[in-house]
Amino acid sequence: MALPERETELRRLRGAIAAAGAGEGSVTVVTGQLGVGKTALLKEVLRSAEADPGGPRVLTAAASRTEQDFDFGIACQVLEPLVAEADALEADRWFGGTAGAARWLFPGAPGWPGWEPGDHHDVLTAHGLVGLLAAISADRPLAVLVDDLHVADRQSLTWLRQCARRIHDLPCALVVTVREGDPGADRPAIRELWELATTRIRPANLSEDGVGAVLRAASDGRAGDPCVVAACHAASAGNPLYLNEVVRGGHAHRGGPSVLKERLAAQLAVLPPQVGDCARAIAVLGEHAEPWLVEHLTGADSVAVAEAVRVLGRLGILAPACPLRFAAPVLRTTIEASMTAQEDLRLRVRAATVFHEAGFAAETVAAQLLEVPAPSPSPWMPEELRTAADAATRRGEPETAARYLRRALLDLPPDGPERGWRLVDLALSEAAFDVSAAIRHLTQAIGLLPTPRERAEAVTLLPLSAFLRPEAAVLTGRVTPEDAGGQAGLRLEARIRLTRCEDPALLAGAVDRLRELGPEPPIGTLAERELLAVLLHAATLSAGMPAAIVAGLTDRLLRCAPASSEEFAGTAPLLIISALTAGALGPTSSWLESAAGEPVRGRPARPASLIAARGAVLAQTGQLTRARSAAWEAYELIGGNLGEAPESLVMALVAIAVVTRDERLATTLVEHYDEHALARAGLHIRAALLMLRGAATAVEDPRGALARFLDCGAALHRAGWRNPALFPWRTWSAWLQRRLGDCVSAGELIDDEIRWARCWGAPAPLGRALRIKASLSTGAEADRMVAESIETSRASGDRLELIRALLAEGALLRCDGKAGAEDRFREAYRLAEGCGAPWLTGRTAEETTGPRTAAGPSAALSEAEGRVVAFALDGLTNGEIAAEINVTRRAVEKHLTNCYRKLGISGRAELAEVFGAWGFGARSSA
């Protein structure tokens, strides 16, 4: 396979070999720094030369440091295989004249004279080898390829130098490779070869395109990604050897020894010790590798460091820059990996000490201390780590701060208040990216703090939103508001009430506490705003106060809350849940739009929560396409890591998945929360996921979906969560019970839903419940219910519910033969088109174009198709339907396919939306 970006070099090498075939000798020197690909060029030339049977005969050798003591070792590698194959006559002819002086080197050759006594003069033997090469090339032109000439033995270099002097008289192409910067490359014989060279080749590092070609050739699955190619090029600087190390490091299955590590170690081993010391010091110092700091770490003087830097630069290990830096980042990684634990510890401690004494920033010192095992050897080191953590926190890098604090904890005794407060600091840093760890460490901390007031203050430092998690209850169970008093007591009360919102008695107590605060509760301080947000949340869950009051107070609080993603660590998640549940879409949307323009700092969870909340508002107002986009933007922003996603983010995603019927999003959420994860989640998440699971399977498995909705309702009832707008489990359950023929239970549930919806006072849940009630009623009552549903849905701004109510009224009007049905269907169609609801668009298109005597979408279907759809809506499989109506399974499939085409839908999942408003089903009595 051709080497990328080496076409010019290969053409010149092949040209030199072809010229030897025509009788024109030449010397070609391929030079370059470590890993640039000199050996690969030689191998490619050898492959192409051997593939040409009419071309020059190819002889090869590779020098090695371990064979430098073998006299004429390279000469023997080149010539011995050929001489050993010669017969007696051919050997006598080759070794005639001056070549006889070299015959003693080849004991396997015919006519070997044996070991002659006395010393053989190297120059005479070299002359003999030149004569031997000339005699062999006279039979057939030669190409002699010698790799790594800089480590060749002295006697072979003498021979090659003499060959180079006579090369123009020989039909021989001599090609050698030499590593720049190696001490052996400065020997006089190699310098003379360089001067005598007809062709000099110095391969360059690969461009980004060349790196991409290498990755594609390696069949790397990421090779087509421009970002991966750019990253590999930056890490390797385009050096092929370094690139191989980068690719190897990205694949766990590519184990084995590191070629780069071995070659670097071998190269540094033959250099003066201060060169290796300098390289290791630069690796430890990183971006601060000034020459004077290298002197401090190595103990060498400035002259020795300057010489070491020069040698490393010639080898291509260092780039020409100050501060000193490696030519490629992978070199630093490799050199660090090659150091022993003792070397690394010594250099890290020395570097930290030098930085500390020279007044460098605390984070520069801490970066070295992170690599130093505990306990720290100097008493000032833990304080530097804590100072560095403060700096990282101010800069908006909580993960970095947490790393410094975890290391600082290793220097503290296992008990005592100092460790407790360091654990508090760690918890506050972790709260931005790992709330579970933050709660765990804060729990450990309050066990070490000596006074109730200190413990209470520690609990109030954790953001309010963290206390939505059930594991936070262990924190609030160990403190009381009286432990702090004043404003801190209010903040503590807010956190205690939030962790106990699943207790119906305490939930009712929170509503009473809200009433005690009066119509205009104080919100002048953060503590007062936090308490009010929690009390409003309790009133929302229990529907303990009218929606209008909750909406007004949340609007007032949102006006005080900074419009930024940072506020999602405080009151905003609770306020947005309350505002959306109360139907206060306008103020919430305005706050979220303002927050969207704020710069994003730190971890992505907070801006992702903001984006998801905007998506939930869009979904409630019928802007489904934008809502889906917002949901996936939020999901991608957190990298798909739902494990540490805030509860408010997950609830918003669930709401969007349910409203928009985004099956991919629903599947993603359901698969993440398996039974084990769901059991550990709080009731907010458990209820939301049970609702989502039920909604996702309502068509295919109505009985299973009903069980999930009823389980959700039972859990909410036990907690005292009555609000029909937040978790409309009664509506879904009633709809399914009606489909399954249990209209009595459906009626009881929907009456209960209407009662709670009127109590709460928000129009959206009431309009939905009235529509389902209409489908269970007949005559004037059905007309009255659906008319009120339309009126209520218009007031709520919920366009999807308005579409369903319009369709239901249109169907009733058409069944009764009354005027106005077409107007209802036409308005529903227009609204559905604007919402981007394909399952509704397909249904209403049929209504506006179907026969006027039809009573709903079933009019477009044949009698047989209608029966099949009815059984499908009752959850029967294709095989079960076939058994019910005594036809083949294939016939059922054909009927369903025709139905989907006529109705403009894609499958079973949309049948319930098409027919749900009419109670259409084989086993429905509605």
Side-chain angles (χ1 to χ4, degrees):
M1 181 171 53
L3 301 175
E5 299 186 344
R6 294 291 186 261
E7 294 81 4
T8 301
E9 291 84 352
L10 288 171
R11 186 170 56 252
R12 296 175 70 187
L13 287 169
R14 289 166 179 155
I17 294 174
E24 181 182 344
S26 64
V27 176
T28 301
V29 178
V30 181
T31 187
Q33 296 171 336
L34 174 70
V36 80
K38 303 179 292 296
T39 300
L41 278 174
L42 238 58
K43 288 181 178 179
E44 181 64 21
V45 169
L46 173 63
R47 185 193 63 80
S48 58
E50 288 179 337
D52 181 10
R57 177 184 284 150
V58 183
L59 306 176
T60 63
S64 171
R65 296 189 193 278
T66 60
E67 297 180 358
Q68 282 182 313
D69 293 335
F70 290 93
D71 295 347
F72 294 102
I74 297 300
C76 291
Q77 281 191 58
V78 171
L79 298 171
E80 191 170 39
L82 197 60
V83 171
E85 294 177 358
D87 56 30
L89 291 176
E90 196 173 34
D92 287 342
R93 180 163 52 81
W94 285 353
F95 283 108
T98 59
R103 194 162 190 164
W104 68 273
L105 283 174
F106 305 96
W112 179 55
W115 297 106
E116 299 178 3
D119 295 332
H120 294 276
H121 198 282
D122 291 346
V123 175
L124 291 177
T125 302
H127 276 298
L129 289 170
V130 173
L132 177 60
L133 189 70
I136 294 173
S137 64
D139 291 348
R140 180 181 171 184
L142 295 177
V144 178
L145 312 180
V146 181
D147 197 18
D148 290 338
L149 191 66
H150 50 280
V151 294
D153 61 276
R154 179 180 57 81
Q155 293 85 353
S156 293
L157 283 176
T158 301
W159 165 60
L160 290 173
R161 176 167 55 182
Q162 292 183 17
C163 288
R165 290 170 181 171
R166 291 185 52 191
I167 201 70
H168 296 294
D169 300 329
L170 303 174
C172 176
L174 175 60
V175 182
V176 300
T177 67
V178 179
R179 182 185 299 169
E180 289 181 7
D182 191 277
D186 292 330
R187 286 183 285 180
I190 293 181
R191 287 202 301 269
E192 185 174 344
L193 279 170
W194 176 261
E195 295 297 330
L196 294 171
T198 311
T199 303
R200 299 175 183 135
I201 296 175
R202 190 177 189 276
N205 284 345
L206 301 176
S207 66
E208 276 197 29
D209 290 340
V211 169
V214 171
L215 293 179
R216 287 191 294 274
S219 299
D220 192 299
R222 307 166 300 162
D225 188 344
C227 295
V228 172
V229 173
C232 289
H233 182 268
S236 65
N239 182 291
L241 176 62
Y242 306 165
L243 176 61
N244 180 67
E245 183 69 13
V246 171
V247 174
R248 172 186 177 274
H251 293 267
H253 65 275
R254 293 185 182 176
S258 165
V259 176
L260 177 58
K261 182 178 176 181
E262 291 178 349
R263 293 183 66 178
L264 270 178
Q267 181 65 73
L268 294 175
V270 300
L271 297 171
Q274 63 265 28
V275 177
D277 292 343
C278 180
R280 288 184 282 273
I282 294 170
V284 168
L285 291 169
E287 63 183 14
H288 302 288
E290 300 282 355
W292 68 273
L293 287 169
V294 176
E295 294 171 23
H296 276 282
L297 261 66
T298 60
D301 57 29
S302 58
V303 175
V305 169
E307 176 60 20
V309 169
R310 186 188 69 81
V311 171
L312 291 170
R314 288 189 62 200
L315 284 166
I317 295 174
L318 290 184
C322 190
L324 305 171
R325 65 179 178 86
F326 291 101
V330 71
L331 286 168
R332 179 184 180 189
T333 304
T334 304
I335 289 176
E336 285 181 320
S338 68
M339 291 192 292
T340 66
Q342 292 77 10
E343 285 176 330
D344 185 67
L345 175 60
R346 177 177 56 82
L347 288 174
R348 298 287 179 188
V349 171
R350 187 173 294 180
T353 303
V354 171
F355 286 147
H356 174 70
E357 293 176 348
F360 278 71
E363 286 194 78
T364 304
V365 181
Q368 300 297 331
L369 296 178
L370 286 176
E371 307 299 327
V372 176
S376 296
S378 299
W380 53 266
M381 291 181 177
E383 188 58 38
E384 285 281 1
L385 287 163
R386 290 193 288 274
T387 304
D390 292 340
T393 300
R394 289 193 298 270
R395 198 174 58 253
E397 296 183 7
E399 289 177 298
T400 302
R403 286 200 300 272
Y404 294 146
L405 289 168
R406 291 190 192 106
R407 173 60 186 82
L409 281 169
L410 298 177
D411 290 320
L412 295 175
D415 51 13
E418 185 180 4
R419 183 178 183 83
W421 285 113
R422 294 293 77 75
L423 283 167
V424 171
D425 294 339
L426 176 58
L428 295 182
S429 296
E430 290 174 329
F433 62 91
D434 189 348
V435 179
S436 296
I439 294 172
R440 186 170 61 253
H441 286 129
L442 191 59
T443 303
Q444 296 172 9
I446 61 176
L448 298 172
L449 300 177
T451 66
R453 185 175 188 84
E454 287 177 317
R455 292 192 288 271
E457 289 176 354
V459 171
T460 62
L461 293 175
L462 200 63
L464 183 64
S465 58
F467 291 85
L468 282 169
R469 296 186 173 239
E471 60 263 37
V474 71
L475 289 173
T476 56
R478 303 173 68 175
V479 292
T480 64
E482 292 74 20
D483 292 339
Q487 295 294 307
L490 294 179
R491 301 190 69 194
L492 193 56
E493 180 186 354
R495 283 154 177 78
I496 293 172
R497 289 189 180 278
L498 190 55
T499 58
R500 300 176 186 175
C501 65
E502 296 183 25
D503 185 328
L506 294 176
L507 204 62
V511 175
D512 293 339
R513 178 85 161 91
L514 178 59
R515 291 193 180 95
E516 291 172 3
L517 295 177
E520 293 189 2
I523 56 173
T525 65
L526 175 62
E528 291 169 341
R529 292 193 293 272
E530 286 186 340
L531 179 59
L532 181 56
V534 171
L535 297 178
L536 286 172
H537 184 64
T540 300
L541 296 176
S542 62
M545 296 189 76
I549 296 176
V550 172
L553 290 174
T554 54
D555 182 26
R556 184 175 170 224
L557 272 178
L558 281 173
R559 292 177 188 276
C560 296
S564 69
S565 62
E566 294 295 323
E567 185 61 22
F568 267 84
T571 60
L574 301 178
L575 293 177
I576 289 174
I577 292 173
S578 295
L580 294 182
T581 307
L585 302 181
T588 309
S589 180
S590 299
W591 189 93
L592 291 169
E593 290 295 334
S594 299
E598 293 293 315
V600 176
R601 286 181 29 173
R603 295 288 298 180
R606 291 177 187 172
S609 298
L610 187 151
I611 292 168
R614 291 174 61 202
V617 173
L618 292 169
Q620 282 204 23
T621 55
Q623 301 176 67
L624 304 190
T625 302
R626 292 179 62 194
R628 289 190 194 95
S629 298
W632 285 110
E633 182 183 355
Y635 180 78
E636 291 167 4
L637 191 58
I638 61 173
N641 180 20
L642 292 170
E644 285 303 322
E647 279 71 6
S648 57
L649 171 57
V650 177
M651 290 182 66
L653 293 179
V654 170
I656 295 169
V658 171
V659 174
T660 66
R661 300 296 193 268
D662 189 327
E663 293 185 9
R664 185 162 67 97
L665 180 59
T667 301
T668 299
L669 292 164
V670 168
E671 288 180 349
H672 175 79
Y673 284 94
D674 57 18
E675 295 302 327
H676 179 66
L678 205 59
R680 292 185 290 107
L683 184 54
H684 293 82
I685 301 299
R686 293 202 312 277
L689 264 294
L690 284 171
M691 291 288 298
L692 179 59
R693 288 180 176 184
T697 59
V699 173
E700 292 83 358
D701 181 18
R703 297 188 185 280
L706 177 60
R708 292 186 177 91
F709 288 131
L710 294 177
D711 286 346
C712 175
L716 295 172
H717 180 77
R718 286 193 298 271
W721 294 16
R722 306 286 193 266
N723 199 311
L726 192 58
F727 300 109
W729 65 272
R730 299 182 192 86
T731 301
W732 281 87
S733 299
W735 177 65
L736 287 170
Q737 286 171 333
R738 184 206 62 192
R739 278 184 55 199
L740 295 171
D742 187 1
C743 292
V744 174
S745 298
E748 291 174 353
L749 270 180
I750 207 63
D751 287 342
D752 200 28
E753 183 83 339
I754 291 173
R755 180 171 63 84
W756 280 107
R758 294 191 189 282
C759 176
W760 174 238
L766 180 59
R768 183 169 54 240
L770 289 169
R771 175 176 58 83
I772 300 298
K773 178 66 174 177
S775 71
L776 292 167
S777 305
T778 58
E781 184 182 7
D783 293 341
R784 181 176 59 81
M785 289 290 177
V786 78
E788 186 180 355
S789 174
I790 291 175
E791 181 183 358
T792 306
S793 298
R794 288 190 194 279
S796 72
D798 187 340
R799 289 195 287 174
L800 293 182
E801 185 53 44
L802 177 59
I803 292 168
R804 295 186 179 98
L806 288 168
L807 291 170
E809 186 174 45
L812 289 173
L813 291 172
R814 182 172 286 176
C815 286
D816 295 339
K818 297 179 181 178
E822 295 301 324
D823 293 337
R824 297 292 186 270
F825 292 141
R826 193 172 294 109
E827 182 182 0
Y829 176 72
R830 178 179 56 79
L831 289 172
E833 283 289 290
C835 291
W839 62 91
L840 292 177
T841 302
R843 171 175 42 164
T844 53
E846 283 293 333
E847 291 305 331
T848 55
T849 60
R852 288 186 175 274
T853 58
S858 58
L861 307 180
S862 68
E863 181 180 355
E865 289 166 350
R867 292 182 67 197
V868 170
V869 167
F871 282 114
L873 284 170
D874 286 331
L876 273 66
T877 66
N878 289 357
E880 291 169 339
I881 296 173
E884 286 277 352
I885 61 178
N886 196 27
V887 298
T888 65
R889 183 189 181 98
R890 175 63 182 156
V892 172
E893 293 171 353
K894 185 176 179 180
H895 283 317
L896 285 175
T897 300
N898 289 337
C899 294
Y900 302 154
R901 177 180 54 77
K902 289 180 179 181
L903 297 172
I905 61 178
S906 61
R908 277 197 179 216
E910 297 175 16
L911 283 176
E913 282 296 335
V914 174
F915 292 99
W918 291 269
F920 184 79
R923 300 174 182 175
S924 174
S925 60

PDB file of all heavy atoms in Angstrom, residues 861-882:
ATOM      1  N   LEU A 861     -63.175   3.878   6.110  1.00  0.00           N
ATOM      2  CA  LEU A 861     -62.754   2.486   6.103  1.00  0.00           C
ATOM      3  C   LEU A 861     -63.899   1.579   5.670  1.00  0.00           C
ATOM      4  O   LEU A 861     -65.078   1.882   5.893  1.00  0.00           O
ATOM      5  CB  LEU A 861     -62.285   2.077   7.504  1.00  0.00           C
ATOM      6  CG  LEU A 861     -61.215   2.956   8.163  1.00  0.00           C
ATOM      7  CD1 LEU A 861     -60.885   2.400   9.547  1.00  0.00           C
ATOM      8  CD2 LEU A 861     -59.972   3.050   7.316  1.00  0.00           C
ATOM      9  N   SER A 862     -63.525   0.437   5.101  1.00  0.00           N
ATOM     10  CA  SER A 862     -64.529  -0.584   4.804  1.00  0.00           C
ATOM     11  C   SER A 862     -64.972  -1.241   6.107  1.00  0.00           C
ATOM     12  O   SER A 862     -64.362  -1.058   7.161  1.00  0.00           O
ATOM     13  CB  SER A 862     -63.946  -1.627   3.862  1.00  0.00           C
ATOM     14  OG  SER A 862     -62.939  -2.379   4.540  1.00  0.00           O
ATOM     15  N   GLU A 863     -66.065  -2.013   6.012  1.00  0.00           N
ATOM     16  CA  GLU A 863     -66.562  -2.672   7.224  1.00  0.00           C
ATOM     17  C   GLU A 863     -65.511  -3.613   7.812  1.00  0.00           C
ATOM     18  O   GLU A 863     -65.288  -3.628   9.028  1.00  0.00           O
ATOM     19  CB  GLU A 863     -67.845  -3.447   6.895  1.00  0.00           C
ATOM     20  CG  GLU A 863     -68.451  -4.146   8.122  1.00  0.00           C
ATOM     21  CD  GLU A 863     -69.716  -4.895   7.773  1.00  0.00           C
ATOM     22  OE1 GLU A 863     -70.175  -4.791   6.622  1.00  0.00           O
ATOM     23  OE2 GLU A 863     -70.241  -5.578   8.663  1.00  0.00           O
ATOM     24  N   ALA A 864     -64.831  -4.402   6.955  1.00  0.00           N
ATOM     25  CA  ALA A 864     -63.814  -5.341   7.439  1.00  0.00           C
ATOM     26  C   ALA A 864     -62.637  -4.595   8.058  1.00  0.00           C
ATOM     27  O   ALA A 864     -62.116  -4.986   9.113  1.00  0.00           O
ATOM     28  CB  ALA A 864     -63.339  -6.233   6.290  1.00  0.00           C
ATOM     29  N   GLU A 865     -62.241  -3.483   7.410  1.00  0.00           N
ATOM     30  CA  GLU A 865     -61.133  -2.696   7.947  1.00  0.00           C
ATOM     31  C   GLU A 865     -61.507  -2.086   9.283  1.00  0.00           C
ATOM     32  O   GLU A 865     -60.690  -2.033  10.221  1.00  0.00           O
ATOM     33  CB  GLU A 865     -60.745  -1.608   6.951  1.00  0.00           C
ATOM     34  CG  GLU A 865     -60.056  -2.148   5.703  1.00  0.00           C
ATOM     35  CD  GLU A 865     -59.980  -1.120   4.591  1.00  0.00           C
ATOM     36  OE1 GLU A 865     -60.628  -0.042   4.719  1.00  0.00           O
ATOM     37  OE2 GLU A 865     -59.292  -1.378   3.598  1.00  0.00           O
ATOM     38  N   GLY A 866     -62.737  -1.628   9.395  1.00  0.00           N
ATOM     39  CA  GLY A 866     -63.185  -1.054  10.661  1.00  0.00           C
ATOM     40  C   GLY A 866     -63.151  -2.070  11.792  1.00  0.00           C
ATOM     41  O   GLY A 866     -62.768  -1.746  12.922  1.00  0.00           O
ATOM     42  N   ARG A 867     -63.544  -3.324  11.522  1.00  0.00           N
ATOM     43  CA  ARG A 867     -63.511  -4.363  12.561  1.00  0.00           C
ATOM     44  C   ARG A 867     -62.072  -4.632  12.996  1.00  0.00           C
ATOM     45  O   ARG A 867     -61.789  -4.767  14.193  1.00  0.00           O
ATOM     46  CB  ARG A 867     -64.154  -5.634  12.025  1.00  0.00           C
ATOM     47  CG  ARG A 867     -65.654  -5.531  11.786  1.00  0.00           C
ATOM     48  CD  ARG A 867     -66.204  -6.866  11.305  1.00  0.00           C
ATOM     49  NE  ARG A 867     -66.116  -7.872  12.358  1.00  0.00           N
ATOM     50  CZ  ARG A 867     -66.213  -9.181  12.145  1.00  0.00           C
ATOM     51  NH1 ARG A 867     -66.386  -9.629  10.915  1.00  0.00           N
ATOM     52  NH2 ARG A 867     -66.140 -10.026  13.154  1.00  0.00           N
ATOM     53  N   VAL A 868     -61.155  -4.706  12.039  1.00  0.00           N
ATOM     54  CA  VAL A 868     -59.747  -4.975  12.365  1.00  0.00           C
ATOM     55  C   VAL A 868     -59.184  -3.844  13.211  1.00  0.00           C
ATOM     56  O   VAL A 868     -58.508  -4.068  14.227  1.00  0.00           O
ATOM     57  CB  VAL A 868     -58.925  -5.168  11.077  1.00  0.00           C
ATOM     58  CG1 VAL A 868     -57.436  -5.191  11.401  1.00  0.00           C
ATOM     59  CG2 VAL A 868     -59.323  -6.461  10.376  1.00  0.00           C
ATOM     60  N   VAL A 869     -59.471  -2.597  12.833  1.00  0.00           N
ATOM     61  CA  VAL A 869     -58.979  -1.455  13.601  1.00  0.00           C
ATOM     62  C   VAL A 869     -59.552  -1.462  15.013  1.00  0.00           C
ATOM     63  O   VAL A 869     -58.871  -1.172  15.996  1.00  0.00           O
ATOM     64  CB  VAL A 869     -59.315  -0.136  12.877  1.00  0.00           C
ATOM     65  CG1 VAL A 869     -59.088   1.056  13.803  1.00  0.00           C
ATOM     66  CG2 VAL A 869     -58.466   0.009  11.626  1.00  0.00           C
ATOM     67  N   ALA A 870     -60.826  -1.822  15.128  1.00  0.00           N
ATOM     68  CA  ALA A 870     -61.457  -1.851  16.450  1.00  0.00           C
ATOM     69  C   ALA A 870     -60.738  -2.824  17.377  1.00  0.00           C
ATOM     70  O   ALA A 870     -60.451  -2.502  18.544  1.00  0.00           O
ATOM     71  CB  ALA A 870     -62.929  -2.235  16.300  1.00  0.00           C
ATOM     72  N   PHE A 871     -60.458  -4.028  16.867  1.00  0.00           N
ATOM     73  CA  PHE A 871     -59.744  -4.995  17.707  1.00  0.00           C
ATOM     74  C   PHE A 871     -58.309  -4.536  17.987  1.00  0.00           C
ATOM     75  O   PHE A 871     -57.777  -4.775  19.064  1.00  0.00           O
ATOM     76  CB  PHE A 871     -59.744  -6.371  17.032  1.00  0.00           C
ATOM     77  CG  PHE A 871     -61.049  -7.107  17.175  1.00  0.00           C
ATOM     78  CD1 PHE A 871     -61.847  -7.369  16.065  1.00  0.00           C
ATOM     79  CD2 PHE A 871     -61.498  -7.518  18.419  1.00  0.00           C
ATOM     80  CE1 PHE A 871     -63.058  -8.042  16.195  1.00  0.00           C
ATOM     81  CE2 PHE A 871     -62.695  -8.197  18.562  1.00  0.00           C
ATOM     82  CZ  PHE A 871     -63.482  -8.455  17.453  1.00  0.00           C
ATOM     83  N   ALA A 872     -57.678  -3.872  17.013  1.00  0.00           N
ATOM     84  CA  ALA A 872     -56.317  -3.373  17.226  1.00  0.00           C
ATOM     85  C   ALA A 872     -56.289  -2.329  18.327  1.00  0.00           C
ATOM     86  O   ALA A 872     -55.376  -2.285  19.157  1.00  0.00           O
ATOM     87  CB  ALA A 872     -55.758  -2.791  15.928  1.00  0.00           C
ATOM     88  N   LEU A 873     -57.316  -1.486  18.373  1.00  0.00           N
ATOM     89  CA  LEU A 873     -57.395  -0.480  19.416  1.00  0.00           C
ATOM     90  C   LEU A 873     -57.594  -1.104  20.791  1.00  0.00           C
ATOM     91  O   LEU A 873     -57.195  -0.529  21.809  1.00  0.00           O
ATOM     92  CB  LEU A 873     -58.543   0.494  19.126  1.00  0.00           C
ATOM     93  CG  LEU A 873     -58.264   1.515  18.026  1.00  0.00           C
ATOM     94  CD1 LEU A 873     -59.536   2.241  17.662  1.00  0.00           C
ATOM     95  CD2 LEU A 873     -57.197   2.499  18.488  1.00  0.00           C
ATOM     96  N   ASP A 874     -58.196  -2.276  20.838  1.00  0.00           N
ATOM     97  CA  ASP A 874     -58.357  -2.970  22.111  1.00  0.00           C
ATOM     98  C   ASP A 874     -57.101  -3.714  22.528  1.00  0.00           C
ATOM     99  O   ASP A 874     -57.102  -4.416  23.553  1.00  0.00           O
ATOM    100  CB  ASP A 874     -59.520  -3.956  22.011  1.00  0.00           C
ATOM    101  CG  ASP A 874     -60.856  -3.215  22.027  1.00  0.00           C
ATOM    102  OD1 ASP A 874     -60.924  -2.136  22.638  1.00  0.00           O
ATOM    103  OD2 ASP A 874     -61.818  -3.715  21.424  1.00  0.00           O
ATOM    104  N   GLY A 875     -56.026  -3.591  21.733  1.00  0.00           N
ATOM    105  CA  GLY A 875     -54.742  -4.158  22.125  1.00  0.00           C
ATOM    106  C   GLY A 875     -54.492  -5.563  21.651  1.00  0.00           C
ATOM    107  O   GLY A 875     -53.494  -6.177  22.063  1.00  0.00           O
ATOM    108  N   LEU A 876     -55.346  -6.120  20.779  1.00  0.00           N
ATOM    109  CA  LEU A 876     -55.134  -7.478  20.307  1.00  0.00           C
ATOM    110  C   LEU A 876     -53.996  -7.516  19.288  1.00  0.00           C
ATOM    111  O   LEU A 876     -53.830  -6.568  18.499  1.00  0.00           O
ATOM    112  CB  LEU A 876     -56.414  -8.035  19.654  1.00  0.00           C
ATOM    113  CG  LEU A 876     -57.416  -8.709  20.617  1.00  0.00           C
ATOM    114  CD1 LEU A 876     -58.012  -7.705  21.576  1.00  0.00           C
ATOM    115  CD2 LEU A 876     -58.519  -9.406  19.808  1.00  0.00           C
ATOM    116  N   THR A 877     -53.241  -8.589  19.303  1.00  0.00           N
ATOM    117  CA  THR A 877     -52.195  -8.777  18.304  1.00  0.00           C
ATOM    118  C   THR A 877     -52.826  -9.182  16.983  1.00  0.00           C
ATOM    119  O   THR A 877     -54.022  -9.533  16.919  1.00  0.00           O
ATOM    120  CB  THR A 877     -51.198  -9.859  18.736  1.00  0.00           C
ATOM    121  OG1 THR A 877     -51.882 -11.122  18.777  1.00  0.00           O
ATOM    122  CG2 THR A 877     -50.619  -9.553  20.108  1.00  0.00           C
ATOM    123  N   ASN A 878     -52.019  -9.180  15.900  1.00  0.00           N
ATOM    124  CA  ASN A 878     -52.541  -9.570  14.586  1.00  0.00           C
ATOM    125  C   ASN A 878     -53.071 -11.005  14.611  1.00  0.00           C
ATOM    126  O   ASN A 878     -54.110 -11.317  14.011  1.00  0.00           O
ATOM    127  CB  ASN A 878     -51.453  -9.434  13.521  1.00  0.00           C
ATOM    128  CG  ASN A 878     -51.151  -7.976  13.230  1.00  0.00           C
ATOM    129  OD1 ASN A 878     -51.788  -7.079  13.769  1.00  0.00           O
ATOM    130  ND2 ASN A 878     -50.182  -7.728  12.370  1.00  0.00           N
ATOM    131  N   GLY A 879     -52.361 -11.883  15.309  1.00  0.00           N
ATOM    132  CA  GLY A 879     -52.807 -13.268  15.401  1.00  0.00           C
ATOM    133  C   GLY A 879     -54.111 -13.397  16.158  1.00  0.00           C
ATOM    134  O   GLY A 879     -55.003 -14.188  15.784  1.00  0.00           O
ATOM    135  N   GLU A 880     -54.278 -12.630  17.236  1.00  0.00           N
ATOM    136  CA  GLU A 880     -55.505 -12.682  18.026  1.00  0.00           C
ATOM    137  C   GLU A 880     -56.689 -12.122  17.235  1.00  0.00           C
ATOM    138  O   GLU A 880     -57.818 -12.632  17.322  1.00  0.00           O
ATOM    139  CB  GLU A 880     -55.323 -11.912  19.331  1.00  0.00           C
ATOM    140  CG  GLU A 880     -54.354 -12.599  20.297  1.00  0.00           C
ATOM    141  CD  GLU A 880     -53.982 -11.717  21.469  1.00  0.00           C
ATOM    142  OE1 GLU A 880     -54.131 -10.472  21.359  1.00  0.00           O
ATOM    143  OE2 GLU A 880     -53.535 -12.250  22.490  1.00  0.00           O
ATOM    144  N   ILE A 881     -56.416 -11.065  16.450  1.00  0.00           N
ATOM    145  CA  ILE A 881     -57.493 -10.504  15.617  1.00  0.00           C
ATOM    146  C   ILE A 881     -57.935 -11.524  14.580  1.00  0.00           C
ATOM    147  O   ILE A 881     -59.142 -11.710  14.325  1.00  0.00           O
ATOM    148  CB  ILE A 881     -57.017  -9.206  14.934  1.00  0.00           C
ATOM    149  CG1 ILE A 881     -56.705  -8.132  15.984  1.00  0.00           C
ATOM    150  CG2 ILE A 881     -58.072  -8.693  13.962  1.00  0.00           C
ATOM    151  CD1 ILE A 881     -56.065  -6.881  15.421  1.00  0.00           C
ATOM    152  N   ALA A 882     -56.943 -12.190  13.962  1.00  0.00           N
ATOM    153  CA  ALA A 882     -57.265 -13.206  12.958  1.00  0.00           C
ATOM    154  C   ALA A 882     -58.159 -14.293  13.554  1.00  0.00           C
ATOM    155  O   ALA A 882     -59.115 -14.765  12.921  1.00  0.00           O
ATOM    156  CB  ALA A 882     -55.982 -13.806  12.391  1.00  0.00           C
TER     157      ALA A 882
END
